[in-house]
């Protein structure tokens, strides 16, 4: 499950820019992986704050739509560090999704060490 999301603080300060990693996922991902949209689909749509944990029922509905259910073994990764424009953008999104899954009672979760960059570096297909 690819949890790539991008977060960047503008050089002049102010609020962070946040955007979905769906386009990055569509350009390349681990075969069989689905995209988990932490920004829109797996956050509370009624909150004024980004990434607020949604009500349990909504989370379970959305994660079920992605193929996760009781007993499903989920491996979460993200695209790691990415250069978008000039600065490097760090990513901790796989850990965030793993935490959220555990929080909601899905215990069979792992985070892929090194994420997609390591997967590619090792020549995996």
């Amino acid at each position: 499950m690819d949890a790539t999301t991008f977060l960047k603080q503008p050089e002049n300060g102010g609020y962070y820019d946040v955007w979905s990693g769906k386009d990055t996922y569509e350009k390349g991902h681990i075969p069989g992986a689905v995209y988990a949209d932490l920004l829109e689909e797996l956050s509370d749509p009624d909150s004024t704050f980004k990434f607020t944990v949604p009500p349990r029922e909504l989370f379970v509905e959305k994660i079920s739509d992605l193929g996760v259910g009781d007993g499903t073994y989920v491996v979460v990764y993200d695209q790691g560090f990415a250069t978008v424009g000039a600065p490097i953008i760090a990513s901790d999104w796989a850990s965030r999704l793993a935490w959220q899954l555990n929080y909601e009672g899905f215990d069979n979760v792992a985070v892929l060490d090194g994420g997609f960059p390591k997967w590619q570096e090792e020549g995996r297909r």
Side-chain angles (χ1 to χ4, degrees):
M1 184 168 286
D2 187 323
T4 302
T5 305
F6 295 106
L7 174 72
K8 176 182 156 192
Q9 185 172 19
E11 290 182 25
N12 62 352
Y15 291 106
Y16 285 90
D17 292 327
V18 183
W19 63 98
S20 168
K22 178 85 174 186
D23 289 342
T24 304
Y25 164 83
E26 289 175 354
K27 290 177 185 171
H29 58 270
I30 294 174
V34 295
Y35 182 72
D37 188 346
L38 289 169
L39 180 60
E40 300 294 333
E41 296 292 317
L42 299 175
S43 292
D44 186 345
D46 297 325
S47 176
T48 56
F49 301 103
K50 295 180 188 306
F51 304 109
T52 300
V53 174
R56 177 172 169 58
E57 299 76 29
L58 178 60
F59 181 80
V60 170
E61 174 189 329
K62 297 294 184 179
I63 209 72
S64 295
D65 289 347
L66 296 175
V68 177
D70 290 337
T72 304
Y73 180 61
V74 181
V75 177
V76 184
Y77 72 91
D78 58 42
Q79 304 262 349
F81 293 94
T83 303
V84 178
I88 300 232
I89 301 163
S91 181
D92 297 316
W93 303 106
S95 296
R96 163 58 194 238
L97 181 55
W99 168 84
Q100 196 169 0
L101 285 159
N102 277 275
Y103 178 77
E104 296 297 353
F106 296 92
D107 298 326
N108 210 3
V109 180
V111 175
L112 183 64
D113 185 20
F116 190 58
K118 184 175 179 184
W119 176 274
Q120 288 179 306
E121 194 176 284
E122 292 175 348
R124 298 178 187 256
R125 306 248 180 261

